Amino acid sequence: MSLKICVAQLNYCVGDMPGNAEKIIAAARSAYADGARLLLTPELAICGYAAEDLFLRPSFIQACDDAVNRVARELAGLKGLTVVVGTPTQGDNGKGLRTKSVEVQQRHNAARVLREGRIIESYAKRELPNYQVFDERRYFAPGQGTCVFQAEDEAGSAISIGLLICEDAWFEEPARLARDAGAELLVVINASPFHVGKGDEREQMMRSRVLATGLPLIYAHLVGGQDEIVFEGRSFALQADGVLAGRAESFKENLFVAQAERSLSAINLIADTAPERSAEADLWDALVLGVRDYLGKNGFPGAILGLSGGIDSALVLAIAVDALGADKVRTVMMPSPYTADISWIDAREMAGRMKVRYDEISIVPEFEAFKASLAGEFKGLKEDTTEENIQARIRGVFLMALSNKFGSIVLTTGNKSEMATGYCTLYGDMAGGFAVIKDLLKTTVFRLARWRNEHDPYGTGRKPIPERIITRPPSAELRPDQTDQDSLPPYEVLDAILARYMENDEGVDGIVAAGFDRAIVVRVASLIRINEYKRRQAPVGIRVTHRSFGKDWRYPITSKFRA
């Protein structure tokens, strides 16, 4: 027997149940015409992942049910086709308990197995993640059952398929129960957020699962951006001995096909394998996809950003043009009394290379007007960060005014190192709608800028970033001869401490024991703590590490604890 299996690795949109259903129907018809008799959609494909508190609305669950029923009706005439659709469902015990003070969930993160117009099986996810960006126990109750169903090839020969949903496959029991119930092949439908290195982690974990059960496995994943989260696709198939049978491309929609062939009593999988990729290529594509989908799915006509002549805004511009095209990106240089000539020269040069609209609006008149208005209040006091922040806030006002007038969203340009230490201005450079590089440490910003100058993945031009932008010392240019290192440790030191303290929860003593200066470590930890109030007011940004300042960072603003 030979069963062709298709994974609908597609870009689903949260809340667009009619559109998602249409994608599934079109994929099923295309796969069926190509000989596939089993179609797998990702976890919660019918509604998109993650719908957050929309799951609490009964009308949302009903709309999902309606969309699944539509898929079943539309595909009823495709004889012998089995379709697995990820969807939320209402539990068998009703709607649970919900009052103003108590809530007990009864809905499930589930999958419906459809064939010829009918729902032939249902399965509810057993293992519900509640860490990092996941909140599934807020919305769902765990399932208790096992799902094994038959899928037939074009000749009518059947394979027993064991169905798992994402986190189920990270634990031993669900896969073992499926095998014990007669499964010959495991299929896992997923919505697993991207971070650098996550693809290899998934394959290694699934490899341990197939080695434990002795069963081959197909991993079905989605692709696309959803607010701060990105899904990279990279669906794959593993043989029963753990050897990679095939892998879909990353960050692209794909109907990934795996052929399941029975030889004697064993199932062998045959599929194409996309090439291995570098961490930088993954990181770039994640940022590009995150920007493209955030603007596209929310209906913004384009983007605007302040181009300073520095490395951060240069990188954001390159990402934005790769994501949206030069015609949808506008840049504004806003020089102050402290802007170096090389800054506007380099900003003009980069805008020309990227072929984007470029304007210069001086903030000097507004800055002088603010100082004059406040002269009486500030009499006898030296200029300090107050005047620096006024400059940043004038720029924020200009950018937001242009955004309001023309509809384009402001992309902020702050990086993770700045967000961690508070080296940013509320209502100034933090003002905007989407923080593109919010989860990139400054050292990663430099590394990625050099990578982009050496590669042109979207055909928008090699070497978009002038070399001097990369090599000159970083500066906010808010006072004479200023550099970032006037206020912060060298970025190589700072970022290494941030990776340990913020991303991996190491304590001060442990970091010092690793060779870092205690005074610097204590200062960095203090800066992280006292700037939580700023981060709470920052725009959402793309998550690309395993610990970002977003859903997976939930620290109190008010706290006396010292790590």
Side-chain angles (χ1 to χ4, degrees), residues 461-472:
R462 292 177 65 85
K463 298 189 180 302
I465 304 174
E467 182 65 17
R468 185 166 56 189
I469 289 179
I470 299 175
T471 57
R472 68 183 290 205

Side-chain angles (χ1 to χ4, degrees), residues 42 74 85 108 346 351 374 389 470 490:
E74 293 276 350
V85 179
H108 296 299
D346 289 345
L374 293 166
N389 289 338
I470 299 175

Side-chain angles (χ1 to χ4, degrees), residues 262-545:
R262 179 182 282 116
S263 175
L264 300 177
S265 60
I267 301 295
N268 184 57
L269 299 177
I270 303 169
D272 293 333
T273 301
E276 292 283 356
R277 297 162 49 90
S278 69
E280 289 79 13
D282 278 350
L283 190 52
W284 190 265
D285 282 351
L287 294 167
V288 166
L289 183 57
V291 169
R292 181 184 297 142
D293 275 1
Y294 191 81
L295 271 68
K297 291 179 179 179
N298 287 295
F300 290 101
I304 185 170
L305 66 134
L307 193 62
S308 68
I311 186 70
D312 295 319
S313 62
L315 188 68
V316 171
L317 173 56
I319 293 166
V321 171
D322 277 4
L324 307 171
D327 61 320
K328 293 185 178 179
V329 181
R330 180 180 179 182
T331 60
V332 184
M333 170 55 151
M334 295 166 284
S336 78
Y338 310 114
T339 300
D341 287 347
I342 60 173
S343 293
W344 63 258
I345 291 171
D346 289 345
R348 286 181 184 176
E349 171 67 18
M350 182 166 183
R353 293 186 187 187
M354 294 260 81
K355 301 179 175 62
V356 297
R357 177 175 174 177
Y358 171 83
D359 298 287
E360 291 179 7
I361 305 175
S362 173
I363 69 166
V364 173
E366 290 75 17
F367 183 43
E368 295 301 326
F370 268 105
K371 289 199 295 182
S373 296
L374 293 166
E377 299 294 330
F378 291 173
K379 185 177 180 179
L381 301 175
K382 293 182 179 180
E383 289 194 0
D384 55 16
T385 54
T386 304
E387 285 75 17
E388 295 180 24
N389 289 338
I390 287 172
Q391 295 170 69
R393 288 177 178 133
I394 293 169
R395 291 182 173 120
V397 168
F398 280 1
L399 289 172
M400 289 308 302
L402 292 169
S403 173
N404 292 161
K405 186 63 71 175
F406 300 108
S408 294
I409 188 172
V410 174
L411 302 180
T412 65
T413 61
N415 61 65
K416 192 174 191 175
S417 305
E418 295 170 349
M419 293 298 298
T421 57
Y423 197 65
C424 47
T425 303
L426 273 177
Y427 328 119
D429 57 322
M430 293 175 67
F434 199 53
V436 179
I437 59 171
K438 181 180 181 179
D439 200 26
L440 296 188
L441 293 169
K442 188 76 169 191
T443 49
T444 306
V445 169
F446 280 104
R447 176 165 55 88
L448 199 57
R450 289 201 175 278
W451 180 91
R452 177 60 183 87
N453 268 6
E454 296 168 0
H455 300 81
D456 184 18
Y458 293 87
T460 57
R462 292 177 65 85
K463 298 189 180 302
I465 304 174
E467 182 65 17
R468 185 166 56 189
I469 289 179
I470 299 175
T471 57
R472 68 183 290 205
S475 172
E477 294 192 326
L478 298 173
R479 64 173 184 266
D481 303 317
Q482 182 183 25
T483 68
D484 290 3
Q485 267 56 69
D486 296 339
S487 306
L488 297 173
Y491 281 117
E492 293 77 8
V493 175
L494 173 62
D495 289 356
I497 294 171
L498 292 176
R500 289 173 175 271
Y501 184 88
M502 180 264 167
E503 294 182 354
N504 296 318
D505 289 325
E506 291 186 34
V508 168
D509 290 342
I511 299 173
V512 171
F516 294 87
D517 181 85
R518 178 173 289 276
I520 294 176
V521 176
V522 169
R523 179 166 173 256
V524 170
S526 176
L527 288 172
I528 293 174
R529 179 179 58 81
I530 66 176
N531 284 290
E532 184 61 33
Y533 80 100
K534 281 190 179 182
R535 290 188 292 270
R536 291 288 185 93
Q537 301 176 68
V540 65
I542 304 167
R543 176 187 185 267
V544 293
T545 69

Side-chain angles (χ1 to χ4, degrees), residues 199-247:
D200 290 335
E201 293 174 27
R202 290 193 206 101
E203 287 188 18
Q204 188 56 40
M205 178 55 68
M206 295 305 103
R207 185 167 289 110
S208 69
R209 198 58 55 237
V210 301
L211 292 175
T213 59
L215 300 179
L217 178 148
I218 296 176
Y219 187 99
H221 200 208
L222 77 159
V223 65
Q226 170 59 32
D227 296 345
E228 69 189 67
I229 296 170
V230 173
F231 303 95
E232 85 271 33
R234 191 176 161 157
S235 302
F236 59 89
L238 297 175
Q239 307 288 17
D241 60 1
V243 172
L244 182 70
R247 182 194 298 128

